[in-house]
Amino acid sequence: MPAVQDIRAALPDAQIDWVVERGFAPLVQRCDGVGRVIPCEIRRWRKSPFAAVTRAEWGAFKAQLRQEAYDAVIDLQGLTKSALVARLARLGPGGKRYALANQTEGSGYEAPTRWVADVAIRIAPHTPAVQRSRELAARALGYALPPVLSFGLKVPSAQAEPAQAAIKTIAKTIAFVHGTSRVDKEWPLAHWIELGRRLMAAGYQIALPHGNAKELATSQAIAQVLNEGGITVWPLLSLDELTDELAHCAGVIGVDSGVSHIAVALDLPHVQIYNFDTAWRTGPPQGAQGKQLSVFAQPTPGVDAVWQAWLACSAGLADPVASA
């Protein structure tokens, strides 16, 4: 998303289309400046490549992808599947395909991305994920990076009705993003409970989202132990609905996960918890002016460290933090 906003600032007349896995299409549709959103389901298609439904959907995807002739096709992922998409996209006269020439630290990279490219661009290995995409797009299209980072993620107004009637999100609500696909990224249940006690004593309410049965059980366990008003276990929400509800919160505290990164894109006060020293690569980008911080320790950060980070992130908020 920041790469899209950079392109818009440098080339206001550019038409920008985006190929994305269908599950993430609702987020891309909210990105300012994106024209066509072209959904694909490569993860699913490769599980049954010869099935009739796969062949039909693949054909429809290719037809949609090739409707436009592009002056530039930029592969920001650096994977075989993204290289395939780049190769299938149709170029206009003088058009070129751009891709990464090398792997950066901690990221996935597969050689076909540079084989397909007309221009392969080398990025310094120790480059954060967001910065890598911004630099690749800027060097492909020949502009200097703007000084301000923006995600351009559109959200509903504060007066909009909640996506689910069961949710009553108010300005003093903090969302706990405890769910992650990796067990080694989790934060201990006892830590979430203690942090919840501190926040509730400071006047906050706690929202507990989930994405699957395991995460629901964790949300319910936190709510059961705290056992007070002001704790809400959210129903299962689509990515679109979840983004809306997060946008109405006072802030988010979470582990390294996709939902935490949505909080960064929404520019919410946010603490991101790391058990590994990878926050430099995927944590809140530099320049967030203290509003978004990462906390790293091994085997895991303590409650005091996360609490102090939250106080720093939320220092600009009105009560209740000022009285904490």
Side-chain angles (χ1 to χ4, degrees):
M1 290 184 177
V4 169
Q5 304 316 308
D6 293 346
I7 294 170
R8 294 179 68 211
L11 305 168
D13 295 329
Q15 174 186 321
I16 305 169
D17 296 346
W18 190 332
V19 178
V20 64
E21 282 279 348
R22 187 175 298 278
F24 297 102
L27 283 181
V28 176
Q29 288 166 343
R30 291 169 174 261
C31 184
D32 270 336
V34 175
R36 287 197 306 151
V37 177
I38 306 171
C40 65
E41 296 191 74
I42 294 175
R43 294 176 181 176
R44 181 171 62 83
W45 292 336
R46 65 187 178 191
K47 293 178 181 178
S48 53
F50 303 110
V53 64
T54 299
R55 295 199 304 271
E57 292 174 354
W58 176 251
F61 164 68
K62 288 195 295 182
Q64 187 178 8
L65 177 63
R66 294 180 62 81
Q67 283 179 15
E68 188 76 41
Y70 294 102
D71 299 302
V73 174
I74 306 175
D75 177 1
L76 296 178
Q77 276 197 307
L79 302 176
T80 299
K81 64 180 181 181
S82 56
L84 173 61
V85 171
R87 181 66 183 84
L88 289 173
R90 185 161 61 94
L91 294 178
K96 293 183 179 180
R97 297 180 175 89
Y98 300 88
L100 292 160
N102 62 294
Q103 183 174 17
T104 54
E105 292 177 25
S107 65
Y109 183 80
E110 294 166 346
T113 188
R114 65 175 178 267
W115 299 342
V116 167
D118 298 302
V119 179
I121 297 170
R122 184 169 183 81
I123 302 294
H126 193 74
T127 300
V130 170
Q131 184 69 9
R132 182 183 77 168
S133 293
R134 295 183 72 199
E135 286 189 18
L136 178 58
R139 291 172 60 185
L141 301 179
Y143 59 83
L145 282 179
V148 177
L149 182 147
S150 172
F151 284 81
L153 179 59
K154 294 178 286 189
V155 297
S157 68
Q159 290 73 37
E161 290 296 318
Q164 297 277 352
I167 296 179
K168 301 295 182 183
T169 304
I170 62 172
K172 293 183 179 180
T173 297
I174 307 300
F176 279 2
V177 178
H178 55 75
T180 171
S181 59
R182 286 176 48 179
V183 173
D184 57 357
K185 289 186 177 183
E186 293 177 354
W187 205 43
L189 179 63
H191 287 15
W192 286 114
I193 292 169
E194 173 58 25
L195 183 63
R197 287 195 176 107
R198 295 190 190 190
L199 286 164
M200 293 175 71
Y204 284 109
Q205 298 193 23
I206 306 298
L208 298 165
H210 69 279
N212 54 45
K214 179 184 176 183
E215 293 174 10
L216 174 59
T218 300
S219 290
Q220 291 172 333
I222 294 170
Q224 183 176 13
V225 173
L226 293 175
N227 194 28
E228 297 179 28
I231 300 285
T232 303
V233 177
W234 282 354
L236 183 64
L237 302 173
S238 68
L239 196 59
D240 216 24
E241 293 168 340
L242 180 60
T243 300
D244 287 347
E245 300 309 327
L246 289 175
H248 291 142
C249 288
V252 174
I253 300 174
V255 296
D256 177 20
S257 72
V259 179
S260 282
H261 300 311
I262 292 174
V264 173
L266 291 170
D267 198 29
L268 294 170
H270 172 53
V271 178
Q272 205 161 120
I273 300 168
Y274 282 82
N275 301 335
F276 303 94
D277 190 14
T278 55
W280 69 268
R281 181 172 60 85
T282 59
Q286 294 182 359
Q289 299 179 340
K291 190 176 183 180
Q292 299 160 351
L293 295 173
S294 57
V295 179
F296 158 68
Q298 289 182 320
T300 194
V303 176
D304 283 342
V306 175
W307 175 246
Q308 291 302 321
W310 170 252
L311 293 179
C313 287
S314 59
L317 298 178
D319 292 339
V321 163
S323 63

